[in-house]
Amino acid sequence: TKGAIIPSAVGVDIGCGMMAVRTTLTADDLPDSLSALRSSIERAVPHGGPGPSGGWNGRSGIPNSILRRWIDSGLESRFKTLCAKYPKLENAASVIQLGTLGGGNHFIEVCLDLEGRVWVMLHSGSRGVGNLIGRIFIEKAKELLHTRGVKPLDKDLAWFAEGEPEFADYVEAVAWGQDFARINRELMMVRVLQAMRDHLPSFKTDKEAVNCHHNYVVKEHHFGSDVWVTRKGAVSAQKDELGIIPGSMGAKSFIVRGKGNPDSFCSCSHGAGRTMSRTEAKKTFTVDDLSAATSGVECRKDAGVIDEIPLAYKDIDAVMEAQRDLVEVVAQLKQILCVKG
């Protein structure tokens, strides 16, 4: 978009994205059963939701390390500024869900690459507070439609234009949500790695971690113009930029390097994508189907996650083949442990 942003296009899972870290561990360092490790990770990182079930147990239950990051990063002070303008945000689950996973297709995984190296990968966003930010501004944009003099083909195409106070407020709020999401992933990663250290031999991690959004908006320069690029289910794939493209919980995932293809606005896909709705998947598949599709993966195999069955997703190999002109593969990962909310 030029000179405007469409909040509905950005959506409500603001800043949702992926983080991956490679460790010095190999497959030989892992125990035969990963059940105890999965339980430890599930205890270390609140998961599930929506609502309080997916967060810390009250303000007093928030670990000090997370409270410190909330304050020292500026998230707290910036949030107070947003709340002063939009009081509805005061009731949002903000710091109470910082460092937590959520539900649905959000996950934490331990994976092996083709050389047998152990990776940790996770997928989450700005949680309940990002959702509320999205909903507040989507409605605000729709309210402004009657002042435009121009009707879009669909009310969900309602926009904010540069120069309007609502535009500046939205950019400020979305930037905060994206920072919350990035820090959320970093805090979870620290806790997952600590859980692994409690169960596995001593290890180190690579200095370069991949931490990328796939639901966000950013100002960039394309085809001679400054434009707002909304990547919804898309990852930035600038020249030599690292990204993550996950498959489903029984498939494989890819660490990629961008080729900077201008025709895609230097973007690539964010994952396999669904072939059927969650409702349809629950009607179509059984727990036995889920168990078979996730054979060899230490994960939940119950009715609560049937909607995440790999058979409800596209073939990740076909998805990767379709974007060979956008990215090159740096590493191929196969999950051996998966935590879902």
Side-chain angles (χ1 to χ4, degrees), residues 25 29-44 191-203 337:
L25 293 168
D29 296 316
L30 301 175
D32 292 337
S33 172
L34 296 174
S35 175
L37 176 58
R38 177 163 74 96
S39 296
S40 184
I41 293 172
E42 289 173 341
R43 287 192 299 271
R191 297 184 70 82
V192 173
L193 292 173
Q194 184 55 56
M196 291 174 64
R197 288 190 168 94
D198 292 341
H199 287 266
L200 303 175
S202 177
F203 65 90
L337 181 156

Side-chain angles (χ1 to χ4, degrees), residues 2 61 93 102 108 143 147 156 183 186 198 251 259 323-324 330:
K2 189 179 291 186
I108 298 168
E143 290 170 10
T147 69
D156 282 326
I183 292 171
E186 291 172 355
D198 292 341
K259 293 186 176 181
Q323 54 188 331
R324 285 189 303 167
V330 174

Side-chain angles (χ1 to χ4, degrees), residues 80-128:
K80 287 179 178 177
T81 301
L82 290 174
C83 288
K85 295 180 183 179
Y86 297 89
K88 285 183 181 178
L89 286 173
E90 292 177 356
N91 298 321
S94 54
V95 64
I96 205 76
Q97 288 187 337
L98 186 61
T100 73
L101 183 63
N105 62 348
H106 295 161
F107 61 77
I108 298 168
E109 290 183 343
V110 178
C111 310
L112 295 176
D113 64 20
L114 295 180
E115 287 73 49
R117 288 281 291 272
V118 175
W119 291 65
V120 182
M121 186 167 69
L122 53 83
H123 171 207
S124 191
S126 52
R127 306 291 281 110

Side-chain angles (χ1 to χ4, degrees), residues 320-339:
M320 296 304 298
E321 176 66 21
Q323 54 188 331
R324 285 189 303 167
D325 55 341
L326 307 182
V327 294
E328 63 175 318
V329 174
V330 174
Q332 178 178 308
L333 310 181
K334 177 70 178 77
Q335 69 273 74
I336 53 175
L337 181 156
C338 178
V339 170

Side-chain angles (χ1 to χ4, degrees), residues 130-165:
N131 183 288
L132 185 56
I133 288 171
R135 287 189 285 117
I136 286 173
F137 282 96
I138 287 170
E139 289 307 309
K140 178 67 68 174
K142 290 176 181 178
E143 290 170 10
L144 289 176
L145 274 181
H146 71 277
T147 69
R148 301 290 189 198
V150 178
K151 272 194 173 182
L153 294 174
D154 188 294
K155 63 181 181 181
D156 282 326
L157 293 173
W159 68 92
F160 297 127
E162 285 183 351
E164 295 174 339

Side-chain angles (χ1 to χ4, degrees), residues 284-295 301-303 306 309-311:
T284 304
F285 301 110
T286 66
V287 170
D288 287 342
D289 294 328
L290 175 66
S291 183
T294 57
S295 177
K301 302 178 192 284
D302 57 66
I306 284 179
I309 190 171
L311 299 170

